[in-house]
Amino acid sequence: MRTTDLSELAAFDAVARHRSFRRAGEERGVTASAVSHAVSNLEARMGIRLLNRTTRSVSLTDAGAMLLSRLSPAFDDIGAAVDGVNQFRDSPFGKVRINIPNSIAPFVIGPVIGPLLAANPNLELEIVATDRLVDIVDEGFDAGVRLGESLSDGMTAVKIRPRLRLVVVGSPSYFEERGTPRSPADLERHSCLQNLYPSGRRYAWAFEKNGKEIEFQPTGPLSSDDHEVLVEAAIGGLGLAYVWEERAARAIRDGALVACLDGWCQPEDWLHLYYPTRKYMSAGLRALIQAMRV
């Protein structure tokens, strides 16, 4: 097989996986037009259309789907063989891309970065922090962090530090004026700031004690998907906030915030670092996992 044939097949494989010429080009380090030209040459050589194209979408023809089903395992094997060379290097190198929720990134990945990069000077980390639910394979990440949600098939997950929990906090002046809730039922009489998912949907405050679970839906004057905003609003006395304990830790230490309902705020599930099972693990990813795992 000629080198050009293999390059055209690789271009088709990238477009078929991403359903996008632009993203296929980004993966291969070339322009979208170069990828389109390679796929067109392949179709002309084979005498059959492999992709249906419109200005807004790309889809596989039956012939394209059959070809992709045979190519994907072959390219996986090639990729594994190339990645396997990493085992013979003395230290991790190259780029590792990781996706992590923005709301927890500073206190999950923050303490790891310095020591990891100091110990591995040839390693480069690319961290994308977003609370949007991301498909790490589709978007080209080596690994991701999730808060215990179920993972899709084909993923391997390892427990990482820290184990987080959500707490209820308010300013000392707020508690002096409104009193301190002793149980979740007392929250009905308080100004409780609302939490949002990135989609804009509100989510309830969850409590548990002695096997009893309670959900409370706040109706306060402010709502946000950013825990930093909620912490600052609580410091300003606007109401009670339901935030990651680590996010409020400094304000609690400084006396700007006080936690309440501590016995009802149970630890969350373990955080997990996850990555595609079928992907041959690079030395860089292996070093990241070792630095973060429990």
Side-chain angles (χ1 to χ4, degrees):
M1 178 179 287
R2 297 178 302 177
T3 302
T4 52
D5 293 341
L6 184 59
S7 178
E8 290 165 2
L9 288 169
F12 163 76
D13 176 75
V15 174
R17 284 186 288 104
H18 289 293
R19 299 295 196 272
S20 166
F21 285 89
R22 177 184 61 80
R23 286 160 64 181
E26 291 173 351
E27 177 183 292
R28 295 183 54 75
V30 299
T31 64
S33 61
V35 173
S36 178
H37 183 69
V39 173
S40 295
N41 284 346
L42 179 63
E43 290 177 322
R45 185 174 293 110
M46 299 184 72
I48 191 168
R49 180 173 291 278
L50 302 172
L51 298 170
N52 294 315
R53 309 160 174 83
T54 70
T55 56
R56 300 183 64 180
S57 66
V58 177
S59 62
L60 290 166
T61 65
D62 289 344
M66 185 280 293
L67 180 60
L68 179 65
S69 69
R70 301 292 297 274
L71 282 180
S72 291
F75 278 118
D76 284 347
D77 288 343
I78 293 172
V82 173
D83 284 347
V85 174
N86 288 342
Q87 295 184 86
F88 299 96
R89 297 183 181 268
D90 294 333
S91 63
F93 73 102
K95 181 187 293 184
V96 174
R97 298 188 73 227
I98 179 172
N99 171 258
I100 184 169
N102 180 63
S103 59
I104 63 172
F107 40 89
V108 173
I109 194 69
V112 173
I113 295 173
L116 177 61
L117 295 181
N120 302 283
N122 295 320
L123 180 64
E124 177 187 350
L125 291 181
E126 183 177 304
I127 301 166
V128 176
T130 174
D131 288 324
R132 177 177 59 88
L133 191 59
V134 168
D135 183 326
I136 62 169
V137 174
D138 188 49
E139 299 195 24
F141 291 97
D142 296 290
V145 172
R146 285 193 183 175
L147 300 167
E149 300 100 327
S150 60
L151 300 174
S152 59
D153 292 340
M155 292 291 170
T156 296
V158 295
K159 290 179 179 178
I160 61 174
R161 299 181 297 266
R163 194 178 185 191
L164 304 177
R165 73 168 185 164
L166 290 156
V167 296
V168 179
V169 294
S171 68
S173 61
Y174 176 89
F175 287 124
E176 288 176 9
E177 180 181 348
R178 303 288 295 272
T180 301
R182 303 299 178 187
S183 73
D186 296 338
L187 294 174
E188 295 286 355
R189 300 189 294 273
H190 286 266
S191 174
C192 299
L193 311 181
Q194 301 178 66
N195 299 73
L196 301 177
Y197 289 109
S199 65
R201 183 168 64 89
R202 290 168 170 77
Y203 63 88
W205 297 8
F207 301 98
E208 180 183 352
K209 186 176 184 179
N210 299 326
K212 182 179 181 180
E213 297 182 0
I214 295 175
E215 285 195 349
F216 170 73
Q217 187 64 61
T219 57
L222 173 72
S223 59
S224 177
D225 66 345
D226 189 329
H227 282 213
E228 192 66 36
V229 170
L230 296 173
V231 165
E232 291 301 319
I235 291 174
L238 190 60
L240 302 180
Y242 184 67
V243 295
W244 295 115
E245 187 172 29
E246 290 286 340
R247 182 73 77 169
R250 178 178 296 179
I252 292 174
R253 288 195 302 269
D254 294 344
L257 288 176
V258 177
C260 63
L261 299 176
D262 187 68
W264 286 91
C265 299
Q266 299 300 312
E268 291 291 299
D269 291 336
W270 286 101
L271 287 171
H272 289 88
L273 179 74
Y274 67 103
Y275 52 91
T277 300
R278 72 176 186 170
K279 182 174 181 178
Y280 203 100
M281 189 185 300
S282 69
L285 178 56
R286 191 162 54 248
L288 177 66
I289 293 171
Q290 187 61 35
M292 297 186 70
R293 74 184 308 160
V294 174

